[in-house]
Structure formats: C-alpha cells, structure tokens
Amino acid sequence: MMPLVDARLLPYWRRPLFLLFLMAVAMPLSFATWSALLNNFVIEAAAFDGVDIGWLHTVREIPGFLAVGVIVLLLWVREQVLAVAMLVVLGVATAVVAWFPTFGGLLATTMIASVGFHYFETVFQSLQLQWLELEEAPEAIGWIVAVGSGASLGAYGLIVLTWETFGLSYNSVYLAAGGLTVLIALYCLVAFPQIRSPTRQRPQFILRRRYWLYYMLQFMSGARRQIFVVFAAFMMVEKFGFEVHEVTALFLINYLINMVAAPFMGKAIARFGERAALAVEYLGLTAVFLAYGGIYNFGWGAALAAALYVLDHLFFALAFALKTYFQKIADPADIAPTAAVSFTINHIAAVFLPALLGYAWIVSPSSVFTAAAAMAIVSLILALLVPRHPKPGRETILS
C-alpha cells in the first residue's frame, strides 16, 4: 500500500498515470475487437435481424444498469484490484465468443463480458477522478482517451491487414484479443503498488439533489449512445452490405482521428469549459442523427453514411467533459459511489431502448435516428445550464 502522493514519485512505469494508461489499453483490445466483428458474426453465424440485435444490446446493458452493485463490492475489494479483476472477466468472455454461435450463447457471453466492461468502466472513471489533480484532469483524460483510441486503432488495423490476407477466423481473433487483455490485466496486478487515494470513499449509495444536472446529462447520454452503438454500425452491414474488413476500416478511421484529436479536446475543455464542449457535442450529434434519417428517407449512399459515422464518433469523444464537470462540483468522498450511481442512471434507458427500437427499426429505420436527434436537442438544453466555472454550490446556472 502506498499513498498517492508517494506513488507519483515512483519511476514513470510504476506511477498511477501509467497504470491508467495500461488499463486504457487493455479494455479496448477486447471491446473494440468484439464490436468490430459483432455485426458480421451475428448475421453470419446466427442470422440476426434488427429485433435480435436489439435484444442482444439490451442484455449487454443490464450490467450497466446494475453498476450500482460496485458499491457493495467495494466493501470487500479495493477499487484498483476490482478494476483489474473486471478486465480479466472481460478478456475471458471475449476470448470464447465464437464458441457459442447461437442466440442464447451470444446472449450469455455478451452478459459476462458486459459485467467485466461496465464494472471496470465504473471503477476506472472513479480512479481517474481520484488520482488526477483538478487542473490536470481535462488534458490527462484527453491523453487517456487517446491511448485507448490507439489500442483500438491497433486492434482494428491488425484485423483490416490480416483478416483476408491470412483467412482469419472469428475464433482466432476473439481468442487473441481476449488473451491480450487478460495478460495486461495480470501485469497491472503485479507491477504496481496498491495506491491509496487521499480521500476515503463513502461505501454507500449516494444520490444528492445538487448533482441533479449531472444525473440528467448522464441519462440522456446513455439513451443517445444506445442508438449510435446498436444501430449505426448495424445499418452499415444490413443496408450497405459492408464486409468485416470494411466495418473494421471504418472503426480504424474513427480511432485514428480520436487518437489525434482527444488531447486537443482536453485542452479545449480546459480553456473554454465544459458547457461549450457539451454544447458543441450535442449540436453536432443532432445534425448527424438527422442526416442518418435522410439516408433512409432520401436514398443517400454508403459514402455519406460512413462519413457521418466518423463524425458521430468524433462528437461522442467530447463526452469526457461530463467527467471533469462532475470532478469540479463533487465532494471528493462522493466520487466512487457517484460513479456507480451515474453508470446506473446512464443505463436506465439502455435496458429497454435497444429492444424497443429494434421493433421500430423493422417498421421505419429513419424514425430511430429521428428519436436520437430529439434526445440530442434535450441534452443541448440541459448542457446550457452548466456554469462556465462549476464548483460546489455552483453546480448549475440556477444555483
């Protein structure tokens, strides 16, 4: 066990920030590979349609809705250890996806991987806000996003370059990606000291009235994100017949842009504030979702759909402004429990929205994207209530 202030003086490869970087690499190796292959795998192996993919993503989001359970686990397990353990769960579940190519099997492996992913993300967000100084957080989180994007870029790049060249199978790629995540997680467990944060976290459920705007923004973010994650890439395969390497190339472009742009986004948030960043994100997403609907209504082509997908992903990258907004208004002892509560709030809509919109997709795909545009407009209105300089007692412009 080592205090945070002392851990920052260790050699760079053992410091808290480097541990955050390694964790940021380990998670996308599994999640990015799972995402890149998923739409083609479920259609080829299990003949999924819009309803099936909607149910799969509903199941995937149940652990996110139950992320508040992290508070209970933290009574017995330290956050740092729990983060590593959840990476192992994610890696193992990803490794065996292709062993169960049925509707039921895919739901089961998705549920297990999702427990690892969502519980890791909950704790990972908490550790970032506890270990990073208030002044350095926007830029540091920008670099963490860039590192994670670089890991995704590497995974996607290898798939694009080797999928057809070497005739890779779904099984071999899933095994390699999941195995790498497990290896990095085990390294994180043995190579770093147990870091003690300066403020002891409250091991209890916390729901504070003064955080209401943060909760609302999290709820709307989760609802919008589901439409992007579930239906944007699915559209590329179902409507335009994208192959595995083509979908992966699209992801590759996304993460290449994010890897370069995320540090600059961090600098922009530090300079112009969270309100401006969130407003830009929501305005951009409104335009993108309306254009998605136009693809179905007016027969616009695959090239525009691909360009919109890249823009969509870029605007979503600005969402880490929500983290720094909360860091500025939070009681330091509330960070861990509120991270768990906010993840649950973020996933309330995720539990029912993918399945519900899956049925709407069968009738009118454009209506799904119109609903997403309406959600982005509501988010924009809420974002305008964020103060230019948020702090405790000044959580909204109405405070």
Side-chain angles (χ1 to χ4, degrees):
M1 188 72 68
M2 180 176 290
L4 176 63
V5 64
D6 294 336
R8 287 176 174 154
L9 302 177
L10 291 172
Y12 184 78
W13 62 275
R14 299 191 70 208
R15 291 180 187 174
L17 183 59
F18 191 68
L19 176 55
L20 293 175
F21 284 156
L22 280 181
M23 290 179 174
V25 167
M27 186 278 289
L29 288 176
S30 282
F31 183 71
T33 302
W34 182 86
S35 301
L37 302 183
L38 177 69
N39 290 293
N40 293 85
F41 182 67
V42 298
I43 289 174
E44 293 175 21
F48 271 33
D49 58 18
V51 173
D52 295 327
I53 197 70
W55 277 111
L56 182 108
H57 282 282
T58 289
V59 167
R60 184 178 68 85
E61 297 296 354
I62 291 174
F65 178 69
L66 300 177
V68 71
V70 167
I71 297 172
V72 178
L73 293 178
L74 292 180
L75 293 173
W76 294 281
V77 184
R78 299 188 69 255
E79 286 181 89
Q80 185 177 337
V81 175
L82 182 59
V84 172
M86 291 300 102
L87 282 175
V88 172
V89 171
L90 171 62
V92 170
T94 301
V96 302
V97 166
W99 298 2
F100 305 95
T102 64
F103 181 73
L106 286 165
L107 292 187
T109 55
T110 297
M111 172 67 84
I112 296 169
S114 183
V115 170
F117 171 80
H118 284 101
Y119 277 42
F120 166 75
E121 281 292 308
T122 300
V123 179
F124 188 51
Q125 175 176 304
S126 172
L127 291 176
Q128 290 175 56
L129 299 185
Q130 290 180 64
W131 290 356
L132 299 174
E133 297 287 351
L134 197 65
E135 297 77 14
E136 70 172 339
E139 292 189 40
I141 294 174
W143 279 108
I144 290 170
V145 171
V147 168
S149 296
S152 299
L153 181 68
Y156 293 145
L158 285 173
I159 292 173
V160 169
L161 293 173
T162 62
W163 182 265
E164 289 193 330
T165 304
F166 298 104
L168 297 180
S169 66
Y170 290 108
N171 185 48
S172 61
V173 176
Y174 278 132
L175 277 171
L180 280 173
T181 295
V182 171
L183 288 175
I184 295 174
L186 295 178
Y187 177 81
C188 290
L189 184 65
V190 300
F192 292 86
Q194 291 296 306
I195 299 165
R196 186 171 65 242
S197 299
T199 303
R200 182 177 177 82
Q201 298 298 295
R202 295 187 176 94
Q204 63 195 65
F205 180 88
I206 291 176
L207 196 66
R208 299 199 189 282
R209 181 180 299 177
R210 68 186 186 90
Y211 299 156
W212 72 267
L213 181 57
Y214 174 68
Y215 297 147
M216 289 296 298
L217 287 168
Q218 283 285 3
F219 174 80
M220 296 306 302
S221 173
R224 286 190 328 274
R225 181 174 50 83
Q226 287 313 301
I227 297 176
F228 169 66
V229 170
V230 178
F231 296 105
F234 189 73
M235 173 185 67
M236 302 297 179
V237 178
E238 184 187 61
K239 181 173 178 61
F240 299 111
F242 275 40
E243 301 288 343
V244 166
H245 63 285
E246 292 172 324
V247 174
T248 307
L250 197 56
F251 288 0
L252 189 71
I253 295 169
N254 282 339
Y255 283 102
L256 178 61
I257 292 173
N258 277 351
M259 186 175 68
V260 175
F264 294 101
M265 290 180 178
K267 289 180 180 293
I269 292 170
R271 179 174 180 181
F272 300 108
E274 288 78 9
R275 178 173 60 192
L278 292 172
V280 169
E281 177 192 358
Y282 302 146
L283 278 170
L285 289 176
T286 300
V288 167
F289 283 132
L290 289 174
Y292 273 145
I295 288 173
Y296 280 92
N297 291 332
F298 306 111
W300 298 338
L304 178 61
L308 290 172
Y309 190 82
V310 173
L311 281 174
D312 201 340
H313 205 275
L314 183 62
F315 283 125
F316 269 114
L318 281 168
F320 69 84
L322 264 182
K323 292 182 184 179
T324 57
Y325 165 61
F326 176 68
Q327 186 187 34
K328 290 177 178 179
I329 66 173
D331 181 333
D334 288 350
I335 288 175
T338 304
V341 169
S342 67
F343 248 76
T344 292
I345 292 171
N346 184 276
H347 288 78
I348 290 173
V351 173
F352 67 86
L353 202 58
L356 179 64
L357 292 179
Y359 290 100
W361 181 269
I362 298 296
V363 178
S364 172
S366 64
S367 67
V368 173
F369 294 123
T370 301
M375 294 174 192
I377 292 172
V378 173
S379 299
L380 173 62
I381 294 170
L382 291 171
L384 296 178
L385 298 179
V386 174
R388 173 62 182 88
H389 298 287
K391 60 183 180 180
R394 181 68 172 164
E395 295 84 5
T396 77
I397 62 172
L398 307 176
S399 299

